[in-house]
Amino acid sequence: MPGRSSSNSGSTGFISFSGIESALSSLKTFQSCIDSGMDTVSSVAFDLVETQTEVSSEYSMDKAMAEFVMMNRELNHYVMAVQSAIGHVKEERPEKIPDLKLLVEEKFLALQSKNSDADFQNNEKFVQFKEQLKELKKQPILGIEPLSCIPALVLQFLA
């Protein structure tokens, strides 16, 4: 049908990108949900450290933050892959419409293959989380001196 996209590879006709662009817009707004999740994980992890809750609970917060970073990266890669595929089809204007799903999958996999641990170091929220967590652990809790000062206090009382 004219004006509609066809799922058949190699079909001829016109593609309406409005539905795809609308779906992309919805995916982009999901980014704020991921950001909110990261903020929540940070808040909970900081509360756990401040209340001296078990290290295993803190570790699971660290893992949760890493999972949000991975979700964020995948979402960005998928959006980029779709945008790239649409751009390719619009620019090339092929006589036969390519299989858009396959084209997006190929571009997505190419982006995913470039994933590395450096992605975590480049994620601002993840880096900020790790730095704030490290600083919080250094601070005295509820007026108690850090553990590194305890031997000096004990020696002071023994003298």
Side-chain angles (χ1 to χ4, degrees):
M1 222 187 234
R4 300 241 171 174
S5 66
S6 175
S7 60
N8 295 335
S9 178
S11 64
T12 59
F14 298 100
I15 298 177
S16 172
F17 293 108
S18 63
I20 296 170
E21 289 167 352
S22 174
L24 271 181
S25 179
S26 294
L27 279 177
K28 289 176 186 177
T29 59
F30 187 69
Q31 183 71 45
S32 65
C33 295
I34 292 174
D35 288 341
S36 293
M38 292 175 97
D39 292 341
T40 301
V41 167
S42 292
S43 178
V44 169
F46 301 153
D47 287 346
L48 290 172
V49 170
E50 287 176 357
T51 60
Q52 296 180 325
T53 305
E54 295 178 23
V55 174
S56 63
S57 297
E58 173 199 325
Y59 175 73
S60 64
M61 292 293 105
D62 195 47
K63 238 174 111 173
M65 184 61 97
E67 288 177 15
F68 273 110
V69 171
M70 289 186 289
M71 273 193 294
N72 186 36
R73 178 176 60 193
E74 278 190 36
L75 176 63
N76 288 333
H77 284 170
Y78 189 76
V79 168
M80 288 174 16
V82 172
Q83 288 172 331
S84 177
I86 290 172
H88 172 77
V89 172
K90 284 182 176 178
E91 192 175 294
E92 297 292 318
R93 295 190 183 268
E95 194 171 304
K96 291 186 177 185
I97 299 169
D99 183 342
L100 287 177
K101 182 179 178 186
L102 182 62
L103 191 57
V104 168
E105 285 176 5
E106 289 171 355
K107 292 181 181 294
F108 177 72
L109 289 174
L111 289 168
Q112 288 289 90
S113 70
K114 296 176 186 174
N115 288 348
S116 72
D117 289 342
D119 296 340
F120 290 94
Q121 296 165 349
N122 295 332
N123 184 290
E124 186 179 324
K125 282 194 180 259
F126 187 76
V127 170
Q128 185 179 22
F129 168 77
K130 296 298 272 183
E131 288 173 0
Q132 286 179 329
L133 200 56
K134 186 188 291 184
E135 288 302 314
L136 251 179
K137 288 179 182 179
K138 289 180 184 177
Q139 294 177 3
I141 300 171
L142 302 173
I144 300 172
E145 291 293 319
L147 294 178
S148 60
C149 297
I150 290 178
L153 292 173
V154 170
L155 289 174
Q156 193 176 33
F157 285 111
L158 294 175

